[in-house]
Amino acid sequence: MPERRTVALVTLGCARNEVDSEELAGRLAADGWELVENAQDADVAVVNTCGFVEAAKKDSVDALLEANDLKDHGKTQAVVAVGCMAERYGKELADALPEADGVLGFDDYADISDRLQTILSGGSVEAHTPRDRRKLLPLSPVERQKAAAGVALPGHGAPEAPEVPQAPENVPSDLPEGLAPASGPRAPLRRRLDTSPVASVKLASGCDRRCSFCAIPSFRGSFVSRRPSDVLGETRWLAEQGVKEIMLVSENNTSYGKDLGDIRLLETLLPELASVDGIERVRVSYLQPAEMRPGLIDVLTSTEKVAPYFDLSFQHSAPDVLRAMRRFGDTDRFLELLETIRSKAPQAGARSNFIVGFPGETEADFAELERFVTHARLDAIGVFGYSDEDGTEAATYEHKLDQEVVDERLAHLSRLAEELTAQRAEERIGETLEVLVESVDSAEDEGVIGRAAHQAPETDGQVVITAESAAGLGLAPGRMVMAKVVGTEGVDLVAECLFEEAGR
C-alpha cells in the first residue's frame, strides 16, 4: 500500500479564511489526504494567504518563505499558496515568489487534491491571470443564485449527501418559500482543524459596496448569500463536533438575504440558529452601519443565545472623509446608533476599525474622528494607517498625506484607543457576565480563560476567571459559567465565578 499523502494548512488573515481552510481540509480528507497540524510534518504545506493590506501581504509572503525553508531540513516537499493574495495576484505572485511551488486561485479549490498531487509529483500547475470576479455574476442580486452555481465561492462547499431524514418539525417554519431544506441534515464539506468550542460559519461571500479604499470585491466577487438550510445544517454539524459558539462571517452580514428575495432574512435565521441543540451562543460580525435596521437591532439585543454584539464598520466619522471613502454617516448619526443599541441592551458590546490619514483628511477631520471615538464607548478599536491598494479608487486620489503625518495620527489615535477601551473595560466592573470557557491552564495561578458576549475571538480581549473562584468546579473548554467582573487588565476583564450560578 502506498504511503498516505500528508498536508498541513497554514491560515493567515480573518475568520473567513479559517472557514475556507476547513473547506479545503474537507476536500483533501475526502480524497485520502492525511491532515497534519505542523507544516514540518507534511509532504505539502498549503498557506492560505491574506491579501487585504500591505502588512497582511508581507505576513503571507513571510509564511510562504518560512514553509519553503522546511524543504531543506524537514519532510516538506512542496509549498503552495492559496487564499486571497494568491487569487488577487495569481501569475504575478508566482513569478515574484519562485519559492512557492504553486499559486492556486479560488477556481482551483474544487480540484485541490489533483492540483497538490500534480505539484507533489514534480509537475507544475500554471498560475491564473487575475480577473475582476465581480464580473462573473449578474449585476442584479436577485439573478445571482442560479448563476452562482458555476462560480467558485470558497466556504460555500456543497454539503455531502444526507445521512438521516430530517423530521418535519425540525424544518424552520418561517423561512421564505423554497428556501427550507428538502431533505435531512447533511455533513458540510468541511473538516475542523482545531478543537476550539468556537467556530465561524459563512453567511455569504463577496461584497457589493464600492468603498474607495478596498480591493476585496475585485477578488472576492459580488455578494452571494448562502441558503439558510446550508447555514443551519453546518451549524448543527458543528454542534455535533462540540462547538458551543458560532460566529457568522462574511464581507457584509447586513446584506444577507438580499439576493434570496428577503433583506430581513437574517432576522428570521438568527432565532433558528440559536435554537440548535448544543449551541450556546450565536455571534454576528461585520455589520455595516448604513445598513443597520430596527428589526435587526431588536433581534440582536433580545434573542436568547444571540450575543448583543455589534461589530460595526465605521472606518471614520468625518463626513467629508466618509464621502471620499464612498461611505455614509457622520459622528452624530453613529453615536445615535450606538445609543439606540444600548437603550435596548445596556451591556451590548461594540467594536470598530478606523482608517487614519486617508487622502484629503484634514486636521479638523481627524479631530472629528477623535470626538467620535472619545464618546462612542467602544469595547475594542482597531486603527490602521492609510496606504494605497492596487486597483482601488483611492489610490488615484490627489492630496495624499505625507507618511510622517499618517504615522503620527496612527500613533496618536492608537494611544487614545488603548486608553478608551481600558476605560470601557473598567465600566464593566460589577457586571455579571455569561462566560464561555476556552482554556484552562494547569498552573493554578493562571486561572481560567474565556470570553463574554461582548468579546469576539482574538480581537476583543478576554475574561480571566480567578483560580480561587473556579477551584473545584471542574471547568473545561466549552463550559458556560456566570461570573462577576471584579477587575481589569487593559481590555481584559478579571472575574469571579458565581458558584451558585455555574452554568451549563
Side-chain angles (χ1 to χ4, degrees):
M1 177 180 291
E3 185 178 355
R4 198 173 188 193
R5 305 159 296 178
T6 55
V7 59
L9 287 120
V10 180
T11 306
L12 294 93
C14 64
R16 300 184 294 270
N17 256 17
E18 294 172 5
V19 176
D20 295 350
S21 285
E22 294 199 346
E23 180 186 304
L24 290 174
R27 291 182 182 278
L28 290 166
D31 203 42
W33 289 77
E34 180 182 350
L35 301 168
V36 297
E37 185 176 350
N38 297 315
Q40 63 187 13
D41 300 324
D43 297 318
V44 184
V46 177
V47 179
N48 192 348
T49 61
C50 178
F52 181 40
V53 293
E54 284 304 318
K57 287 183 279 188
K58 182 181 183 303
D59 288 344
S60 295
V61 170
D62 289 345
L64 287 163
L65 294 175
E66 183 178 339
N68 182 68
D69 289 342
L70 297 175
K71 290 191 289 187
D72 296 330
H73 49 77
K75 181 180 180 181
T76 308
Q77 301 173 50
V79 175
V80 176
V82 299
C84 291
M85 187 177 178
E87 174 61 38
R88 185 176 180 183
Y89 294 104
K91 191 175 186 304
E92 181 182 346
L93 178 61
D95 292 342
L97 197 70
E99 291 86 352
D101 299 287
V103 174
L104 306 180
F106 297 153
D107 292 334
D108 292 305
Y109 283 20
D111 300 309
I112 186 68
S113 178
D114 290 342
R115 300 288 190 269
L116 296 191
Q117 184 58 58
T118 296
I119 293 169
L120 190 58
S121 300
S124 62
V125 176
E126 184 177 356
H128 65 285
T129 298
R131 53 181 172 170
D132 188 339
R133 297 189 72 85
R134 291 172 293 191
K135 298 179 180 179
L136 302 181
L137 291 169
L139 184 63
S140 171
V142 296
E143 297 176 3
R144 288 182 195 153
Q145 283 293 315
K146 289 184 179 179
V151 175
L153 298 171
H156 289 228
E160 297 171 355
E163 299 176 354
V164 181
Q166 180 167 328
E169 61 268 24
N170 290 333
V171 178
S173 60
D174 49 359
L175 291 181
E177 184 178 355
L179 295 182
S183 57
R186 298 179 293 175
L189 190 57
R190 178 172 181 172
R191 175 67 66 89
R192 296 212 70 202
L193 294 174
D194 60 40
T195 57
S196 169
V198 183
S200 295
V201 176
K202 270 200 178 180
L203 269 186
S205 286
C207 186
D208 288 342
R209 301 185 71 87
R210 294 296 179 261
C211 301
S212 63
F213 56 84
C214 183
I216 289 176
S218 66
F219 56 85
R220 278 289 185 179
S222 298
F223 185 89
V224 180
S225 302
R226 292 183 71 194
R227 294 173 66 87
S229 54
D230 288 341
V231 177
L232 279 162
E234 186 165 333
T235 299
R236 292 187 182 106
W237 178 81
L238 287 167
E240 292 170 357
Q241 308 298 307
V243 169
K244 299 300 181 182
E245 176 181 324
I246 62 164
M247 184 166 71
L248 302 177
V249 299
S250 75
E251 279 72 24
N252 177 10
N253 282 334
T254 33
S255 282
Y256 179 69
K258 71 176 186 178
D259 53 327
L260 295 172
D262 185 358
I263 190 60
R264 294 176 177 81
L265 190 53
L266 184 56
E267 289 94 303
T268 302
L269 180 60
L270 283 171
E272 301 291 350
L273 294 171
S275 68
V276 170
D277 288 343
I279 295 299
E280 299 292 350
R281 180 184 291 157
V282 178
R283 183 183 305 278
V284 184
S285 60
Y286 306 117
L287 300 169
Q288 287 292 339
E291 297 181 30
M292 290 300 294
R293 46 196 179 268
L296 180 55
I297 294 174
D298 288 343
V299 171
L300 288 170
T301 54
S302 65
T303 306
E304 185 179 3
K305 295 188 179 182
V306 173
Y309 174 79
F310 294 81
D311 177 10
L312 294 160
S313 177
F314 290 122
Q315 303 298 347
H316 212 283
S317 72
D320 289 345
V321 176
L322 286 168
R323 302 306 176 269
M325 289 178 168
R326 303 293 184 201
R327 297 177 67 83
F328 307 95
D330 56 49
T331 296
D332 292 334
R333 273 189 276 184
F334 290 163
L335 291 175
E336 287 174 8
L337 172 60
L338 291 170
E339 178 59 32
T340 298
I341 291 167
R342 289 171 177 142
S343 69
K344 297 175 180 294
Q347 288 187 319
R351 77 167 324 275
S352 194
N353 294 323
F354 300 94
I355 298 173
V356 299
F358 194 79
E361 181 190 62
T362 65
E363 290 185 7
D365 292 330
F366 185 65
E368 184 67 3
L369 176 56
E370 281 188 280
R371 181 171 80 90
F372 172 66
V373 171
T374 300
H375 290 89
R377 296 171 58 230
L378 298 173
D379 292 279
I381 298 172
V383 186
F384 301 88
Y386 172 80
S387 62
D388 287 339
E389 282 297 315
D390 301 333
T392 62
E393 181 184 353
T396 69
Y397 285 177
E398 299 179 350
H399 309 298
K400 301 281 177 63
L401 276 63
D402 291 341
Q403 190 60 47
E404 287 185 4
V405 175
V406 176
D407 293 343
E408 194 175 288
R409 292 181 181 178
L410 173 62
H412 178 82
L413 194 65
S414 296
R415 287 194 299 270
L416 178 62
E418 186 175 352
E419 294 173 5
L420 292 170
T421 52
Q423 290 174 15
R424 176 66 182 126
E426 290 175 357
E427 291 178 17
R428 292 191 179 275
I429 292 177
E431 287 186 2
T432 298
L433 307 174
E434 190 171 38
V435 179
L436 173 64
V437 175
E438 292 193 323
S439 66
V440 179
D441 198 292
S442 57
E444 292 184 2
D445 59 345
E446 291 295 329
V448 175
I449 306 298
R451 285 180 304 100
H454 70 280
Q455 298 168 317
E458 299 183 5
T459 60
D460 300 345
Q462 59 191 16
V463 178
V464 180
I465 298 178
T466 62
E468 295 81 3
S469 69
L473 294 180
L475 298 184
R479 179 86 177 271
M480 297 290 285
V481 297
M482 302 302 295
K484 182 178 181 180
V485 182
V486 296
T488 65
E489 297 176 356
V491 296
D492 296 337
L493 305 178
V494 178
E496 293 180 348
C497 201
L498 300 179
F499 296 87
E500 71 277 10
E501 298 184 64
R504 47 194 188 272

